[in-house]
Amino acid sequence: MQYEFTNGRILHLVQGDITQVPVDAISNAANAALRGGGGVDGAIHRAGGEAIMAELDVIRAEQGGCPTGSAVATTAGRLPATYVFHAVGPIYSGAKRDAEMLASCYRRCLELADERQVKRISFPSISTGVYGYPLDEAAPIAVGTVADWLANRETSVEEAIFVLFDRRTLEAYERALKARVRN
Ligand code: APR
């Protein structure tokens, strides 16, 4: 599913493996220690190679990691991209702050994109795997945050692509985008 805003920018929802979709910047669902993990994080490090973790080692040494709700940028190694933005979503707790943290990590990726004049950026469904964020709560936040940015901001981003691993996740994001477009 695809939606074109009146300013010509495009929001895309596809099912697939984010490491296979060529873009300028791939967003990752990382952890605050930036130590790599399973899920999409594992897939990105496997496909991108050791250069990515080597850069994260430097960031960890300098900054001690990345706070929840934020993101850090590295190069993309062998991935079909120039950058990886390692976003740290919240571990779901049911608190109101979860939604703020989730929106914030998407916004931080979009800021990193603008700083680098990124035109095409991809996102996974941050926090809805190991971090346990209910899909039907996370999808409207993810779609709404990225849609607001594309519709209302001065931004270098011309196309944002959510690359969703399974059908259930794609369908939740499609429902969220349809609801957003109706309003
Ligand atoms: N491409 C796209 N999406 C993927 C891929 C892939 N190759 N592999 C997994 N996913 C999907 C999952 O199916 C899920 O919908 O990414 C979504 C996010 O799940 P997780 O990767 O578990 O991320 P998250 O819930 O944010 O948990 C982050 O998991 O791997 C660790 O280091 C990571 O500790 C951090 C935690």
Side-chain angles (χ1 to χ4, degrees), residues 156-177:
S156 65
V157 178
E158 294 170 359
E159 187 176 2
I161 310 168
F162 281 96
V163 184
L164 305 160
F165 207 45
D166 51 49
R167 181 143 201 91
R168 184 176 149 256
T169 306
L170 174 68
E171 286 172 356
Y173 278 66
E174 285 178 345
R175 283 194 295 278
L177 181 54

Side-chain angles (χ1 to χ4, degrees), residues 11-183:
L11 181 56
H12 234 106
L13 308 178
V14 300
Q15 188 177 348
D17 175 351
I18 202 166
T19 66
Q20 304 294 313
V21 179
V23 288
D24 300 311
I26 296 174
S27 307
N28 181 19
N31 54 67
L34 301 174
R35 289 206 185 273
V40 68
D41 198 6
I44 283 173
H45 283 283
R46 273 195 304 280
E50 287 171 9
I52 298 174
M53 190 51 82
E55 277 193 55
L56 289 176
D57 288 342
V58 175
I59 294 170
R60 195 182 314 114
E62 286 173 359
Q63 304 174 20
C66 176
T68 301
S70 191
V72 298
T74 66
T75 50
R78 293 192 297 266
L79 288 162
T82 307
Y83 307 104
V84 176
F85 300 152
H86 304 266
V88 183
I91 300 170
Y92 187 73
S93 71
K96 200 175 160 197
R97 198 173 150 75
D98 294 343
E100 287 160 29
M101 292 292 102
L102 188 62
S104 164
C105 74
Y106 283 101
R107 273 196 298 269
R108 184 64 193 132
C109 289
L110 291 159
E111 285 171 3
L112 291 170
D114 281 346
E115 287 164 15
R116 289 161 182 76
Q117 293 298 300
V118 160
K119 291 185 179 168
R120 269 165 66 89
I121 183 170
S122 63
F123 294 98
S125 177
I126 297 169
S127 283
T128 66
V130 174
Y131 280 2
Y133 213 118
L135 197 48
D136 287 326
E137 287 181 41
I141 296 167
V143 167
T145 303
V146 175
D148 281 349
W149 195 278
L150 295 180
N152 302 324
R153 291 259 183 166
E154 274 294 315
T155 177
S156 65
V157 178
E158 294 170 359
E159 187 176 2
I161 310 168
F162 281 96
V163 184
L164 305 160
F165 207 45
D166 51 49
R167 181 143 201 91
R168 184 176 149 256
T169 306
L170 174 68
E171 286 172 356
Y173 278 66
E174 285 178 345
R175 283 194 295 278
L177 181 54
K178 280 179 195 148
R180 152 87 201 198
V181 169
R182 267 201 304 273
N183 296 326

